[in-house]
Amino acid sequence: MKKFMKIENITFAAILLGIPFGYFFQDLALSLKVIGDIYISLLKMLIIPLVFASIYIAIAGLGSADELKSIGAKAFAYYITTTAMAVMLGIIVVNIFDPGLGMQIPQAVNGTIETKEVSVSDFVLSFIPSNIFQALSNGHILPIIFFAILFAAGSIYIHNDKKVFLYNFFDSVNDTMMVLAKWIINLTPIGVFFLIGYTVAKNGFEPILNLWSYAVTVLTALFIHAFVTLSIIAVVIGRFNPFTYFTQVKEALMIALSTASSSATLPVSIEVAEKNANIDKKVAGFVLPLGATVNMDGTALYESIAVIFIANLCGVELTLAQQLTIFVTATFASIGAAGIPGAGLVMMTLILDSVGLPVEYIAIIIAVDRFLDMFRTSINVWGDLLGAKIIDRLLISR
């Protein structure tokens, strides 16, 4: 974790150096954008195997149909519901605040930006892959996610030896992708330096100076989700006081805030859930590790806001179908978001691609990403801990 903190510090320094580099050496910054493009391509390279493997092991890891129907069904219902609510809240808040509107910089990418027009019927049909290999080859994420869910659920019913083989294979793929993600995230300072330099050389300081509206929008939505949406779920479904529970597990939330890593916080989350909140060991041991993999409320919410903010910067008015695409993609893509600092940027490229927006704009929001990452990770962990408590209460009340 100290290594990640070092990378974050270097990244911040790269941002500070990239701004004057782009301003004083415009021609050089424009010509060296290719280095930033390489960094973006490396991020995009991880998306398909990471998402597929993460979804597979999360579902297949339940072990049996009975576990899938009992604890697993409750956990997934909670995680998908709260993540979808977080994304919807993010979309509503960003449409109210409209950060970036009026500071359009549509020439940030070569030529004119063309978004993908999607009708509602096309949107529905886009979930069903007629050819999964074609979907994999073209990087069509929605049908890949749909197939991964069905494939994982189906594998639970096959012979145990084959099931173990498949699980071990995809678990190894997932672990390998995590290693690659860490390597590529280590390159973030280099990529950010040249992308920020290019952005400043092309558009000046305005996009970076106006990030305050974007940051306020993200923080507002995160706090509403944490203290209103999730609290209502805790009271109505779990029938417990979320604020009392908060005092019992606050140590884990402080670790999440300081490390910006769900994975690093996991051991502390399990300990405080079992010892301080008296959650059943089996529930905490299953629900919290699963949540650290698939439940990323804060990340999904942030990504939906960031994509619409980038659309505003591009001067693009997204259609209802395109916002539905963002809603679904952000909800399910968060399942594959690795629990390490900055991994949400990997998923960001996926969502931007889904509606045809330029991934180069990631360089702008990276300037405040570390600060926002601390808060969205805390919301991720808070959602996990609430889920464990709710499921524990539901199992007791049966």
Side-chain angles (χ1 to χ4, degrees):
M1 188 50 56
K2 289 181 179 179
K3 183 177 181 182
F4 282 120
M5 296 296 289
K6 183 178 179 181
I7 291 296
E8 294 294 342
N9 292 334
I10 297 174
T11 300
F12 182 71
I15 292 169
L16 295 180
L17 292 173
I19 292 172
F21 171 70
Y23 185 78
F24 292 108
F25 303 97
Q26 291 185 355
D27 292 339
L28 185 60
L30 292 172
S31 64
L32 292 178
K33 176 178 175 283
V34 64
I35 299 176
D37 290 339
I38 291 172
Y39 168 71
I40 294 295
S41 295
L42 288 171
L43 285 175
K44 294 171 70 174
M45 177 183 70
L46 300 176
I47 291 172
I48 300 304
L50 182 61
V51 169
F52 195 103
S54 295
I55 292 174
Y56 180 87
I57 63 174
I59 296 175
L62 296 173
S64 68
D66 289 338
E67 287 185 333
L68 179 61
K69 293 174 184 176
S70 59
I71 298 177
K74 290 180 175 66
F76 272 104
Y78 169 80
Y79 289 147
I80 292 298
T81 300
T82 56
T83 301
M85 292 174 72
V87 174
M88 182 58 69
L89 175 64
I91 291 174
I92 291 172
V93 171
V94 75
N95 276 287
I96 292 172
F97 281 47
D98 265 338
L101 196 67
M103 44 178 286
Q104 300 171 5
I105 45 174
Q107 298 303 315
V109 187
N110 298 332
T112 304
I113 297 167
E114 297 182 2
T115 58
K116 300 175 183 178
E117 293 293 335
V118 184
S119 68
V120 175
S121 60
D122 287 341
F123 170 75
V124 174
L125 289 173
S126 68
F127 282 88
I128 315 298
S130 58
N131 185 331
I132 186 58
F133 296 104
Q134 185 179 33
L136 289 167
S137 175
N138 294 330
H140 296 158
I141 192 63
L142 294 180
I144 291 171
I145 290 172
F146 179 83
F147 179 79
I149 293 171
L150 288 182
F151 185 71
S155 70
I156 292 176
Y157 292 87
I158 65 175
H159 189 274
N160 191 59
D161 291 342
K162 295 178 180 178
K163 178 167 59 179
V164 170
F165 172 79
L166 273 177
Y167 181 85
N168 288 338
F169 172 76
F170 283 107
D171 190 37
S172 298
V173 171
N174 185 67
D175 288 347
T176 303
M177 290 300 105
M178 290 282 281
V179 171
L180 293 182
K182 291 176 183 178
W183 288 354
I184 294 171
I185 288 172
N186 286 342
L187 299 176
T188 298
I190 299 173
V192 166
F193 175 81
F194 289 103
L195 288 172
I196 284 288
Y198 171 81
T199 300
V200 172
K202 191 77 175 180
N203 305 290
F205 295 116
E206 186 179 6
I208 296 172
L209 294 177
N210 283 279
L211 280 174
W212 67 268
S213 60
Y214 160 69
V216 168
T217 303
V218 173
L219 291 175
T220 300
L222 286 175
F223 282 105
I224 292 173
H225 183 68
F227 296 109
V228 179
T229 307
L230 292 178
S231 294
I232 290 173
I233 293 173
V235 172
V236 174
I237 299 177
R239 299 188 181 281
F240 64 91
N241 187 326
F243 299 103
T244 300
Y245 183 58
F246 179 89
T247 63
Q248 296 172 334
V249 299
K250 62 181 181 299
E251 291 87 355
L253 300 175
M254 292 302 102
I255 296 294
L257 185 68
S258 60
T259 64
S261 170
S262 300
S263 297
T265 308
L266 182 58
V268 180
S269 297
I270 294 174
E271 182 178 4
V272 297
E274 293 177 0
K275 294 183 178 179
N276 297 355
N278 298 316
I279 293 175
D280 183 85
K281 187 174 182 179
K282 181 180 180 181
V283 174
F286 172 78
V287 174
L288 291 174
L290 180 65
T293 304
V294 305
N295 187 43
M296 300 287 175
D297 291 5
T299 301
L301 182 153
Y302 138 82
E303 288 172 348
S304 64
I305 291 176
V307 170
I308 296 176
F309 170 67
I310 288 173
N312 286 343
L313 291 183
C314 298
V316 172
E317 185 174 348
L318 296 173
T319 64
L320 175 61
Q322 287 172 320
Q323 295 205 31
L324 282 173
T325 299
I326 292 171
F327 169 75
V328 175
T329 308
T331 299
F332 287 98
S334 66
I335 294 174
I340 53 179
L345 295 174
V346 179
M347 296 300 106
M348 182 70 68
T349 62
L350 184 157
I351 303 170
L352 288 169
D353 268 347
S354 72
V355 288
L357 292 171
V359 295
E360 288 85 353
Y361 278 83
I362 288 176
I364 298 174
I365 62 173
I366 281 178
V368 292
D369 185 72
R370 171 63 188 183
F371 172 71
L372 296 177
D373 197 8
M374 296 164 60
F375 290 94
R376 65 178 184 255
T377 300
S378 298
I379 304 305
N380 291 343
V381 174
W382 176 230
D384 295 346
L385 288 163
L386 280 173
K389 182 70 172 178
I390 289 171
I391 292 167
D392 185 59
R393 298 273 293 178
L394 290 175
L395 291 175
I396 290 173
S397 63
R398 285 194 307 178

